[in-house]
Amino acid sequence: MKAVGYKTAGALDRADSLIDIEIDTPVATGRDLLVRVQAVSVNPVDYKIRMTRPPEGDAPAILGWDAVGEVVSVGEEATMFKAGDLVWYAGAINRSGTNAEYHLVDERIVGKAPTSITAAESASLPLTALTAYEMLFDRLRVNDPVPGAANAVVIIGGSGGVGSIAIQLLRAKTDMIVIATASRPETQEWVKDLGAHHVIDHTKPLTPQIEALGIGQPGYVFSTTHTHQYIEQIAEFIAPQGRFGLIDDPETLNIMPFKVKAVSTHWELMFTRSLFGTADITRQHDILNEVAELLDAGKIRSTATETLGKIDAATLKRAHAILESNKAKGKLVLEGF
């Protein structure tokens, strides 16, 4: 089967940073599904791993942690899906990725794909939707009010893939005030269109902008990017006993300013449940099914902003370059081989 991978970790400008390869088609065993991949999207985790994690052994490493496709076969212990089912998922970071014609995935982290949108549109969402959903409802517990705080969530980096779906999930599932940050006119318009009640500019001091809204101190902050640059400002404007969550990878992070307000800090990694085989691993199956229902009901929409072309090394290099520029809006998707 066709696939795209790399043999040496490093920068994108090398000729062999991503290469087209031919490998054997895998076989489904246990609780695995073998999926014929129809579309994928590209996430920051793809280029971060390509830059830093060498392949194990001599075989090329295959990236990709978002996919929509058709189940071709199932392992002997699989009971949740059958051949012919259309599914979507974000996969597991410790397994081979979705930039391949066929892909193996544990059925417990797979959901039934939406039926009202295309495979490419659907492919934009599994990883970001799981990340946003788990952070908002499992970690920050936004449905559990912070005493005395404004019923509001600040999303730092609102126009990225995670921020784009987080805004929509909050609007679809809660009555909270959504405050998103964006700095460029096109990204400010994007987050407004997705449902943000207020948009503030993260290139300017945040506290005065939030105070100017006149709603009080927000009970929740969800930081998707450059957290180390905003941590002291967050400590200023978040409510006492508020809840703070982040998903990026700051080299250092001083949360001591949170102590006086007893602000709790929550990390979210979408891969934790699959990586450790947690007792609640099927939670991701349930979340993906719920998100698909919200899409088909018209309560949220795809965050795909551009379909770059077919799944091959050249097109994936373009996608990685756009993401590495830190100027992406929404999600980039690819379809077919």
Side-chain angles (χ1 to χ4, degrees):
M1 68 173 184
K2 296 178 181 178
V4 179
Y6 67 96
K7 293 184 177 180
T8 305
L12 186 62
D13 58 5
R14 297 189 348 262
D16 63 347
S17 59
L18 290 170
I19 56 175
D20 295 305
I21 57 177
E22 289 273 352
I23 58 175
D24 293 337
T25 302
V27 176
T29 60
R31 298 200 68 171
D32 276 354
L33 312 175
L34 180 64
V35 176
R36 181 184 293 112
V37 175
Q38 296 179 357
V40 301
S41 71
V42 186
N43 296 281
V45 64
D46 295 57
Y47 76 76
K48 291 176 183 178
I49 288 180
R50 188 208 75 237
M51 292 172 65
T52 61
R53 190 170 81 184
E56 296 181 4
D58 297 328
I62 299 173
L63 301 169
W65 287 279
D66 263 329
V68 175
E70 180 185 350
V71 177
V72 175
S73 61
V74 304
E76 65 278 4
E77 298 176 20
T79 60
M80 302 166 76
F81 297 95
K82 63 183 185 305
D85 286 344
L86 186 66
V87 297
W88 68 340
Y89 54 90
I93 200 168
N94 58 338
R95 300 189 66 177
S96 186
T98 59
N99 294 337
E101 282 188 276
Y102 295 89
H103 183 250
L104 289 176
V105 61
D106 188 315
E107 66 172 354
R108 294 172 294 178
I109 58 172
V110 174
K112 182 180 178 182
T115 59
S116 59
I117 58 177
T118 67
E121 290 169 327
S122 298
S124 70
L125 284 172
L127 187 149
T128 55
L130 284 166
T131 299
Y133 195 110
E134 289 183 351
M135 175 60 87
L136 294 171
F137 302 105
D138 294 358
R139 317 291 179 223
L140 295 179
R141 306 187 319 280
V142 295
N143 287 322
D144 179 11
V146 174
N151 187 35
V153 180
V154 177
I155 301 175
I156 296 175
S159 66
V162 174
S164 295
I165 188 60
I167 292 168
Q168 297 187 75
L169 289 172
L170 285 164
R171 292 303 307 270
K173 291 176 59 64
T174 78
D175 62 355
M176 305 191 76
I177 298 170
V178 181
I179 305 167
T181 80
S183 61
R184 292 175 285 141
E186 61 269 31
T187 53
Q188 290 175 344
E189 188 59 35
W190 170 255
V191 296
K192 288 178 184 176
D193 194 43
L194 291 173
H197 294 94
H198 304 285
V199 182
I200 60 177
D201 187 343
H202 50 239
T203 66
K204 300 175 181 178
L206 299 178
T207 301
Q209 295 180 78
I210 292 173
E211 289 176 346
L213 300 177
I215 62 172
Q217 293 184 305
Y220 312 88
V221 178
F222 180 4
S223 180
T224 70
T225 186
H226 293 87
T227 299
H228 63 288
Q229 295 181 12
Y230 304 107
I231 197 75
E232 292 184 1
Q233 297 183 69
I234 294 166
E236 289 177 350
F237 68 71
I238 195 170
Q241 302 185 92
R243 302 182 196 128
F244 165 71
L246 70 157
I247 59 172
D248 58 325
D249 305 289
E251 290 186 11
T252 60
L253 190 67
N254 179 18
I255 62 172
M256 281 301 296
F258 288 163
K259 182 176 181 178
V260 68
K261 288 186 176 178
V263 172
S264 59
T265 301
H266 305 264
W267 285 97
E268 160 61 19
L269 179 65
M270 188 282 304
F271 297 115
T272 295
R273 285 178 162 129
S274 57
L275 187 60
F276 293 96
T278 61
D280 62 350
I281 188 172
T282 56
R283 171 80 167 144
Q284 294 200 334
H285 166 79
D286 296 335
I287 291 171
L288 287 169
N289 283 342
E290 181 181 350
V291 172
E293 291 171 1
L294 290 170
L295 277 160
D296 289 337
K299 295 182 179 180
I300 62 174
R301 71 181 204 227
S302 169
T303 56
T305 49
E306 186 175 3
T307 302
L308 296 179
K310 66 179 182 178
I311 305 167
D312 62 18
T315 310
L316 281 164
K317 282 185 179 182
R318 284 179 55 209
H320 281 227
I322 294 170
L323 288 182
E324 288 183 41
S325 75
N326 288 316
K327 293 184 178 179
K329 179 185 74 173
K331 291 295 294 293
L332 305 172
V333 296
L334 299 82
E335 56 182 344
F337 274 86

